[in-house]
Amino acid sequence: MRIVHLDHTSVVGGAEFALLRMLRAHPNWSPVLLVAPATGRGLGIYDGVPPEIPLQVVGIRQPAGASTGRLRAALSVGFRVAAQAVAVRCTRAFRHADLVDANTARAAAYGALAVRWPHKPFVVHLRDLVEPDALGPAGHSLMVRLVLPRADGVIANSHATLASALEHLRPGVPAEVIPSASGLRRGGTTGLPAGDGPVRTVGMLARIDPWKGQHVLLEAFARVFGGRDVRLQLAGEALIARWDLAVQASTRPEPLGQNVLQYLAAGRAVIAVDEGGPAEWITDGVNGLLVPPRDPATLAAALSRLDSDAALRSRLAAAAAATPGLLDDEAVTHAHEAFYERVLRFVAERHGKVRNATAGA
């Protein structure tokens, strides 16, 4: 299969890391990666793409955050999306592709226009809930009016994400939940043992963004550990194995929560909010603790509970590493490959039925 991956980013996030991990896993197709620059920043992540996968930057610069605006911003987004679609259609990689895969919502918008004439099988990755709060008013309008009605297949990162999109899809379109590639290793790594006694280190893996809830964790941490020799780390995945407790405290529903998958695979005692994707992976009291969102007091109570109960921390950590359904990057890549083949069969069958109906008429 010849796959064209479309991307758009101004700030590197989970979508870009997920795609990079899949490309590094050496899939059995021959992908070409097309990245549309937003501000010129954020493209360095793809320096790690294997040399046999050509990287091509095409199109026009697009301002970050435009999809969150109203009418004026929507008009600007519409113009830029159309111009980007034309630029993509003119590339040799696009013309020879068997299937086009959109990695982000903005990429899906220009991809939906690019694949229309001539038709190319089109797969949309849903990494955010299909709601105005997640996509912005303009972005949501493009998604439900332009993108999803033209998708030949949809990959969602959680059941909650997929449910938010189903009403906008054509009947029969393949749709599947496949967790994003999150750098997991089969069997996980337990890192430092939980041990006896109180907590020493609490951590959160998330980009610094108000909705990721660092301020909620800071308030809860201060309530429980103020004046004690306990460290709070807001840092990258390389430090996860050092943490006694790993926290997810986003203030709006996470569509997946890659950090939660990384916590589980690393065998950490996890506290997460009881909504969105994380609630699909954690069973409260079994492989982690779930707390109400946007509530520092209940988060503090969960921190205190695990601080005073090392045996519970150990039990949750052991169950976390054994959580069913955790996939390493190679397994995620194979799942995508199987889905792409399913979409190609669906498109071929649908076109065959259309030709037969036309001939019968």
Side-chain angles (χ1 to χ4, degrees):
M1 284 186 289
R2 292 168 296 186
I3 310 297
V4 165
H5 294 280
L6 305 179
D7 197 19
H8 162 87
T9 184
S10 55
V11 179
V12 171
E16 288 68 46
F17 282 111
L19 178 55
L20 177 62
R21 289 172 181 134
M22 280 213 312
L23 296 175
R24 284 175 169 171
H26 298 293
N28 293 326
W29 64 81
S30 300
V32 176
L33 179 63
L34 293 169
V35 178
T39 63
R41 298 174 297 169
L43 300 182
I45 182 177
Y46 291 115
D47 291 342
V49 171
E52 63 269 25
I53 301 175
L55 170 67
Q56 187 173 357
V57 178
V58 298
I60 63 174
R61 295 184 183 274
Q62 303 191 33
S67 61
T68 62
R70 296 288 177 179
L71 178 61
R72 186 173 182 179
L75 293 174
S76 174
V77 169
F79 169 78
R80 292 174 180 278
V81 163
Q84 184 63 37
V86 172
V88 169
R89 282 172 54 85
C90 291
T91 63
R92 184 174 183 274
F94 179 87
R95 293 195 301 271
H96 291 277
D98 296 314
L99 182 144
V100 176
D101 179 289
N103 190 51
T104 63
R106 179 70 69 89
Y110 68 75
L113 290 178
V115 301
R116 191 169 184 179
W117 297 289
H119 179 76
K120 296 264 186 197
F122 182 46
V123 171
V124 176
H125 273 267
L126 293 177
R127 304 187 187 276
D128 292 297
L129 298 173
V130 183
E131 298 175 351
D133 286 347
L135 299 174
H140 179 261
S141 180
L142 284 172
M143 182 61 71
V144 301
R145 296 175 184 274
L146 172 67
V147 175
L148 294 179
R150 295 183 182 175
D152 297 306
V154 166
I155 297 174
N157 56 10
S158 70
H159 293 283
T161 301
L162 181 58
S164 70
L166 287 177
E167 65 177 296
H168 306 292
L169 300 177
R170 290 169 294 158
V173 167
E176 190 169 324
V177 174
I178 304 176
S180 299
S182 302
L184 309 186
R185 300 290 183 270
R186 279 203 175 99
T189 173
T190 57
L192 297 175
D196 297 325
V199 163
R200 297 157 299 185
T201 306
V202 178
M204 174 186 282
L205 169 60
R207 71 175 184 269
I208 303 300
D209 191 298
W211 79 274
K212 289 297 183 179
Q214 285 90 353
H215 63 289
V216 179
L217 175 56
L218 283 168
E219 182 175 339
F221 181 89
R223 293 187 184 194
V224 178
F225 301 112
R228 287 175 47 185
D229 186 18
V230 179
R231 178 176 298 179
L232 173 63
Q233 294 183 332
L234 307 176
E237 60 190 274
L239 297 180
I240 290 177
R242 303 180 185 180
W243 298 345
D244 298 297
L245 303 178
V247 179
Q248 180 264 335
S250 299
T251 59
R252 70 178 192 229
E254 282 279 2
L256 172 62
Q258 287 191 42
N259 56 350
V260 172
L261 300 189
Q262 291 166 329
Y263 298 162
L264 294 171
R268 299 296 86 194
V270 183
I271 303 173
V273 295
D274 191 10
E275 66 178 4
E280 297 179 18
W281 287 94
I282 294 177
T283 301
D284 186 44
V286 176
N287 62 341
L289 296 182
L290 293 173
V291 298
R294 301 169 289 280
D295 189 342
T298 56
L299 177 55
L303 290 170
S304 180
R305 179 183 176 190
L306 293 180
D307 177 43
S308 61
D309 193 339
L312 176 60
R313 291 204 311 272
S314 295
R315 178 169 63 79
L316 294 178
T323 299
L326 293 175
L327 302 178
D328 63 17
D329 294 346
E330 183 177 356
V332 170
T333 301
H334 288 318
H336 280 72
E337 180 181 19
F339 184 80
Y340 294 151
E341 292 173 348
R342 178 183 167 194
V343 170
L344 290 174
R345 290 194 300 270
F346 167 77
V347 171
E349 291 171 1
R350 187 185 63 192
H351 285 182
K353 290 178 181 178
V354 171
R355 285 196 299 269
N356 291 338
T358 302

